[in-house]
């Protein structure tokens, strides 16, 4: 084994794919290993080309390993560090009336640097002795293996810990205290639709300055109860949905305040276990946010799935967009107007995928009526959460910045509120069409809950970050336990009591902030004035 490691230079290829593995490990909570497959293949291809070039120049496998390592590191230096700053700086420099900051100049210069590096490296390698080649190959292979093993182990450990946490959590899950009684009535289909960051009419009118109640009015005409003053129980998606789907406050059933420890509790939530025990089939959609993807339901719907889909996907994936954003590729976004329509589509593909995933969910939801029932359907839709991808009429928004789901830079100069309202109007009009079809085509009047998981974070200065949309359709029936300040923690308590003979008491409708420094929850008592 030792002799083999001394003779065969694996390290150029291991170093070549290391950045991809590192990025996957750092972002493993938000992405899957498959998402980096194409990028890994590209970087591996670059490493193979560098090795073949080295082999052509040196006629020696071990020397080729050293030379290709040098070229790969030089490529990383140019691609990740130098190219973007040089491009920006030279955009303001002209020579004989020609702007130097252009790709047609910088790309050849980059290639020239790689060529000069090859020639220089080849010259220096002529003097190296054979015994040093074996020692360098062995050392390079060992370092390369360690480099690759660290992110691979990080990813593997993440899944092992998640599996272990899931197994350990099974014994301490919030118990199903009251089984659903289903022998005396037909079982209604239950649709739980989360519109991420959807606030209520009160906030839209008084903070966003938009007098628009069309959605709420039409829901009421269909037989929905739409609360006027609901607040989420938490300010973030994870704790909010863990709480609502377990019909209790997080701190009541989990000692841990770590988000990662809540994932198993979401996957095996109390609502899901209750309906499954009652004979329901469970259906869920890919949201684009891994934490809320209930992948082990009876049916899990995703528009792009598997290695083949990812390999043949047109344009950049979100992971590939991340690589572009932290490298010289960011130039394509900064000057996207100068690109062809095809190139613009390719770099905008993460937004296209984000948009198409939402459309896929909206298009598929009505068709589930015909699926064998009874069924529980969970759809977490990342709209009107930014990045915004819909105009009010549903057309695509033209973007200027790379894809990101966190701290979207697109509206730093203003316009966020208008874009939020425009996307909200489009999405809720689609929701109206969907619920109308579901109600009309259901043999048994369904249960439909349409809810924001939390309010707009930007309204925190107005104490409105908890204000949410909250609407209930209980087969068109009225329930005296629905009221204008009902919060998500009580949603399924009301539904189960109404339909299945349970007697869950309603909990106080509290909202909690999480103090990250002291790792504790603080009761939020300064909600926005509800009128």
């Amino acid at each position: 084994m030792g002799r083999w490691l001394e003779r065969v230079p694996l390290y150029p290829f291991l170093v070549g794919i290391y950045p991809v593995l590192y990025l996957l490990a750092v972002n493993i909570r938000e992405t899957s290993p498959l998402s980096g497959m194409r990028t890994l293949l590209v970087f591996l291809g670059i490493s193979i080309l560098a090795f073949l070039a080295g082999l052509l120049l040196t006629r020696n496998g071990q020397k080729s390993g050293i030379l290709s390592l040098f070229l790969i590191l030089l490529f990383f230096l140019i691609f990740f560090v130098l190219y973007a700053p040089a491009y920006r700086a030279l955009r303001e420099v002209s020579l004989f009336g020609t702007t130097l900051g252009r790709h047609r100049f910088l790309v050849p210069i980059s290639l020239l640097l790689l060529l000069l590096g090859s020639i220089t490296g080849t010259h220096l390698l002529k003097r190296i002795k054979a015994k040093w080649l074996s020692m360098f190959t062995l050392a390079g292979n060992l370092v390369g293996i360690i480099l690759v093993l660290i992110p691979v182990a990080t990813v593997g450990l993440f899944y092992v810990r998640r599996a272990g946490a899931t197994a350990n959590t099974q014994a301490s899950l919030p118990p199903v205290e009251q089984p659903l009684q289903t022998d005396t009535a037909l079982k209604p289909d239950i649709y739980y639709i989360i519109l991420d960051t959807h606030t209520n009419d009160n906030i839209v009118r008084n903070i966003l300055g938009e007098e628009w109640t069309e959605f709420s009015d039409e829901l009421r005409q269909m037989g929905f109860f739409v609360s006027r003053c609901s607040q989420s129980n938490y300010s973030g998606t994870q704790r909010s949905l863990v709480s609502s789907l377990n019909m209790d406050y997080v701190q009541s059933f989990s000692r841990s305040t770590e988000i990662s420890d809540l994932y198993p509790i979401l996957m095996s939530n109390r609502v899901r276990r209750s309906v499954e025990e009652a004979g329901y089939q469970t259906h869920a959609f890919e949201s684009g946010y891994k934490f809320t993807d209930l992948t082990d339901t009876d049916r899990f719907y995703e528009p792009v799935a598997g290695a083949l889909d990812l390999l043949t996907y047109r344009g950049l994936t979100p992971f590939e967009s991340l690589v572009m954003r932290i490298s010289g590729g960011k130039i394509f976004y900064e000057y996207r107007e100068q690109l062809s329509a095809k190139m613009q589509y390719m770099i905008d593909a993460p937004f296209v995928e984000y948009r198409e995933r939402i459309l896929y969910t909206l298009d598929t939801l009505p068709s589930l009526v015909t699926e064998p029932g009874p069924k529980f359907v969970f759809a977490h839709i990342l709209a009107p959460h930014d990045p915004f991808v819909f105009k009010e009429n549903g057309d695509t928004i033209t973007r200027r910045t790379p894809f990101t789901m966190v701290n979207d830079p697109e509206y730093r100069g203003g316009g966020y509120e208008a874009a939020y309202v425009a996307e909200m109007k489009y999405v809720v009009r689609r929701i109206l069409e969907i619920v109308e079809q579901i109600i009309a085509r259901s043999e048994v009047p369904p249960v439909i809950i349409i809810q924001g998981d939390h309010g707009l974070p930007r309204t925190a200065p107005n104490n409105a970050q908890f204000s949410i949309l909250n609407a209930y359709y209980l087969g068109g029936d009225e329930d005296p336990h629905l009221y204008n300040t009902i919060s998500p923690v009580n949603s399924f308590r009301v539904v189960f009591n109404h339909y299945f003979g349970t007697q869950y008491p309603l909990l106080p409708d509290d909202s909690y902030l999480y103090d990250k420094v002291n790792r504790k929850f603080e009761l939020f008592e300064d909600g926005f004035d509800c009128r």
Side-chain angles (χ1 to χ4, degrees), residues 263-510:
Y263 178 76
I265 304 176
L266 179 72
M267 291 291 286
S268 301
N269 61 78
R270 184 190 289 180
V271 169
R272 175 182 175 180
R273 285 180 286 126
S274 295
V275 297
E276 286 177 339
E277 289 177 10
Y280 276 71
Q281 293 289 300
T282 52
H283 300 250
F285 289 84
E286 181 189 39
S287 67
Y289 179 46
K290 281 187 66 177
F291 185 90
T292 62
D293 286 346
L294 304 183
T295 55
D296 62 344
T297 50
D298 294 313
R299 290 288 301 275
F300 182 69
Y301 302 88
E302 48 188 335
V304 178
L308 182 60
D309 283 351
L310 286 167
L311 277 173
T312 58
Y313 184 74
R314 295 181 301 165
L316 302 180
T317 65
F319 180 82
E320 291 160 356
S321 180
L322 168 65
V323 175
M324 294 283 279
R325 195 167 66 245
I326 63 172
S327 68
K330 70 179 70 172
I331 296 301
F332 289 104
Y333 295 99
E334 295 176 7
Y335 300 96
R336 69 183 303 281
E337 294 83 2
Q338 301 174 22
L339 302 176
S340 66
K342 186 174 182 179
M343 280 295 297
Q344 287 187 32
Y345 175 86
M346 288 186 64
I347 67 172
D348 286 341
F351 291 105
V352 176
E353 181 186 9
Y354 186 91
R355 171 189 165 87
E356 289 181 347
R357 184 185 294 112
I358 295 172
L359 290 173
Y360 172 80
T361 302
L362 296 175
D363 292 340
T364 307
L365 269 170
S367 68
L368 300 189
V369 175
T370 59
E371 290 291 320
K375 52 190 158 295
F376 174 82
V377 179
F378 174 69
H380 174 209
I381 301 172
L382 287 175
H385 189 288
D386 60 274
F388 304 120
V389 290
F390 296 103
K391 295 181 180 179
E392 185 175 340
N393 63 359
D395 287 348
T396 304
I397 290 178
T398 300
R399 304 283 306 196
R400 299 163 298 171
T401 54
F403 176 86
T404 177
M405 288 177 57
V406 181
N407 299 322
D408 185 11
E410 185 73 14
Y411 298 97
R412 286 176 183 168
Y416 181 96
E417 290 78 7
Y420 172 87
V421 171
E423 177 155 298
M424 177 190 70
K425 287 182 177 181
Y426 171 72
V427 171
V428 298
R429 284 179 182 140
R430 290 293 309 274
I431 292 294
L432 285 172
E433 297 170 0
I434 289 166
V435 297
E436 187 175 18
Q437 293 179 60
I438 290 174
I439 292 170
R441 297 165 61 186
S442 295
E443 293 183 5
V444 178
V447 172
I448 305 174
I449 302 174
I450 306 171
Q451 206 167 74
D453 54 346
H454 55 80
L456 265 171
R458 288 178 175 235
T459 61
N462 303 97
N463 295 323
Q465 70 269 39
F466 290 93
S467 298
I468 59 168
L469 164 75
N470 202 4
Y472 302 83
Y473 183 84
L474 304 183
D477 298 335
E478 293 184 4
D479 189 306
H481 297 100
L482 292 174
Y483 50 98
N484 277 320
T485 56
I486 186 172
S487 64
V489 73
N490 283 314
S491 294
F492 285 99
R493 287 175 176 263
V494 170
V495 170
F496 288 172
N497 291 349
H498 184 96
Y499 280 95
F500 302 108
T502 59
Q503 296 181 356
Y504 283 108
L506 298 189
L507 302 177
D509 294 298
D510 293 331

Side-chain angles (χ1 to χ4, degrees), residues 113-380:
L113 287 174
L114 290 171
L115 178 60
L116 291 175
S118 302
I119 296 172
T120 303
T122 303
H123 179 71
L124 293 175
L125 284 171
K126 289 180 178 179
R127 303 181 181 181
I128 194 169
K129 296 181 180 179
K131 66 175 183 178
W132 293 109
L133 287 175
S134 297
M135 292 177 61
F136 191 94
T137 301
L138 176 62
N141 284 339
L142 293 176
V143 170
I145 290 170
I146 292 171
L147 272 178
V148 166
L149 283 178
I150 292 173
V152 168
T154 301
V155 172
L157 189 59
F158 169 79
Y159 284 106
V160 168
R161 285 178 173 172
R162 171 173 283 187
T166 301
N168 292 334
T169 303
Q170 297 299 320
S172 57
L173 287 170
V176 177
E177 299 167 350
Q178 302 182 45
L180 306 187
Q181 300 174 22
T182 60
D183 55 343
T184 59
L186 294 173
K187 302 173 186 176
D189 292 340
I190 303 172
Y191 295 83
Y192 190 32
I193 301 172
I194 300 297
L195 301 181
D196 203 300
T197 318
H198 199 305
T199 189
N200 59 33
D201 294 344
N202 188 34
I203 305 307
V204 173
R205 178 177 61 253
N206 292 298
I207 296 181
L208 303 184
E210 184 79 16
E211 191 67 43
W212 194 75
T213 61
E214 178 182 328
F215 184 45
S216 299
D217 294 342
E218 292 200 30
L219 285 177
R220 291 187 178 100
Q221 290 175 15
M222 290 182 186
F224 278 80
F225 172 85
V226 184
S227 72
R228 300 182 186 278
C229 306
S230 284
Q231 294 195 147
S232 62
N233 303 109
Y234 299 90
S235 59
T237 298
Q238 304 99 322
R239 295 186 179 95
S240 178
L241 291 183
V242 169
S243 172
S244 64
L245 285 167
N246 284 285
M247 305 187 293
D248 207 343
Y249 290 95
V250 172
Q251 54 268 42
S252 298
F253 54 76
S254 176
R255 296 180 180 179
S256 173
T257 60
E258 296 296 328
I259 293 296
S260 58
D261 292 334
L262 296 179
Y263 178 76
I265 304 176
L266 179 72
M267 291 291 286
S268 301
N269 61 78
R270 184 190 289 180
V271 169
R272 175 182 175 180
R273 285 180 286 126
S274 295
V275 297
E276 286 177 339
E277 289 177 10
Y280 276 71
Q281 293 289 300
T282 52
H283 300 250
F285 289 84
E286 181 189 39
S287 67
Y289 179 46
K290 281 187 66 177
F291 185 90
T292 62
D293 286 346
L294 304 183
T295 55
D296 62 344
T297 50
D298 294 313
R299 290 288 301 275
F300 182 69
Y301 302 88
E302 48 188 335
V304 178
L308 182 60
D309 283 351
L310 286 167
L311 277 173
T312 58
Y313 184 74
R314 295 181 301 165
L316 302 180
T317 65
F319 180 82
E320 291 160 356
S321 180
L322 168 65
V323 175
M324 294 283 279
R325 195 167 66 245
I326 63 172
S327 68
K330 70 179 70 172
I331 296 301
F332 289 104
Y333 295 99
E334 295 176 7
Y335 300 96
R336 69 183 303 281
E337 294 83 2
Q338 301 174 22
L339 302 176
S340 66
K342 186 174 182 179
M343 280 295 297
Q344 287 187 32
Y345 175 86
M346 288 186 64
I347 67 172
D348 286 341
F351 291 105
V352 176
E353 181 186 9
Y354 186 91
R355 171 189 165 87
E356 289 181 347
R357 184 185 294 112
I358 295 172
L359 290 173
Y360 172 80
T361 302
L362 296 175
D363 292 340
T364 307
L365 269 170
S367 68
L368 300 189
V369 175
T370 59
E371 290 291 320
K375 52 190 158 295
F376 174 82
V377 179
F378 174 69
H380 174 209

Side-chain angles (χ1 to χ4, degrees), residues 70-71 74 77-78 82 106-120:
F70 175 70
L71 293 177
L74 183 58
L77 177 65
I78 295 170
L82 299 178
L106 292 179
V107 170
I109 290 173
S110 300
L111 294 175
L112 180 61
L113 287 174
L114 290 171
L115 178 60
L116 291 175
S118 302
I119 296 172
T120 303

